[in-house]
Amino acid sequence: QVRLVESGGRLVQAGDSLRLSCVASGRTFSSYAMGWFRQAPGKERDLVAAINRNGGRIYYADSVKGRFTISRDNAKNTVYLQMNSLKPEDTAVYYCSAGTSTNFARAPSYDYWGQGTQVTVSS
C-alpha cells in the first residue's frame, strides 16, 4: 500500500503558473504509475495527467495539453504537476493517485488517492 500527500494548491490569477507536488510513502514508489486527477464542484473526477513507472510514457487530457507537465522523481518518491497559463476552468480539487496497472492512461487503473489540494484560478 502507498500513502500520498499533495501540496501546492492555492489561489492564483488567470495566466499564472503553479506547481503541485505529491510525496509517496510506503511501498516502492517506482512500482506505481502516477496520475493527477481533478474534481470541480458538481462534476466528476477526471484524469488530467498520468506518467508510467519509469517516466517514459505520459498522458494528458486534451483540456490541459500544452499547459500542464507531469514529471516524477523516483529518488524523491515525488510526482509533480507543473501548471502554466492557468484558466478559471482549471479551478478544482487536485488529487494525486497511484496504480499498479500498466494501463496508466485510464482512470480505473488507479487505486490509491491523496487527500486533495485546492486550486482556485480567479479571472
Side-chain angles (χ1 to χ4, degrees):
Q1 195 163 351
V2 63
R3 180 171 176 261
L4 304 170
V5 179
E6 304 99 331
S7 62
R10 61 182 178 91
L11 172 64
V12 296
Q13 293 187 334
D16 284 352
S17 297
L18 198 60
R19 188 175 82 158
L20 305 182
S21 300
C22 172
V23 179
S25 59
R27 188 177 162 185
T28 305
F29 180 66
S30 59
S31 299
Y32 295 96
M34 300 298 296
W36 284 98
F37 288 71
R38 69 184 181 188
Q39 188 168 22
K43 296 189 176 181
E44 294 185 352
R45 188 177 299 189
D46 293 324
L47 178 64
V48 295
I51 189 167
N52 74 335
R53 297 174 187 179
N54 64 11
R57 297 176 63 200
I58 288 174
Y59 161 83
Y60 295 107
D62 288 343
S63 58
V64 306
K65 203 171 291 183
R67 300 188 298 122
F68 289 13
T69 302
I70 188 172
S71 62
R72 67 188 297 163
D73 185 338
N74 285 352
K76 294 182 178 180
N77 291 356
T78 303
V79 62
Y80 304 98
L81 186 67
Q82 177 67 42
M83 304 185 293
N84 298 330
S85 302
L86 283 161
K87 305 175 181 180
E89 51 263 43
D90 295 317
T91 295
V93 177
Y94 283 72
Y95 296 91
C96 173
S97 59
T100 56
S101 170
T102 56
N103 202 347
F104 73 104
R106 292 184 67 249
S109 297
Y110 291 89
D111 306 305
Y112 303 100
W113 300 86
Q115 82 287 353
T117 186
Q118 176 71 48
V119 173
T120 304
V121 184
S122 65
S123 58

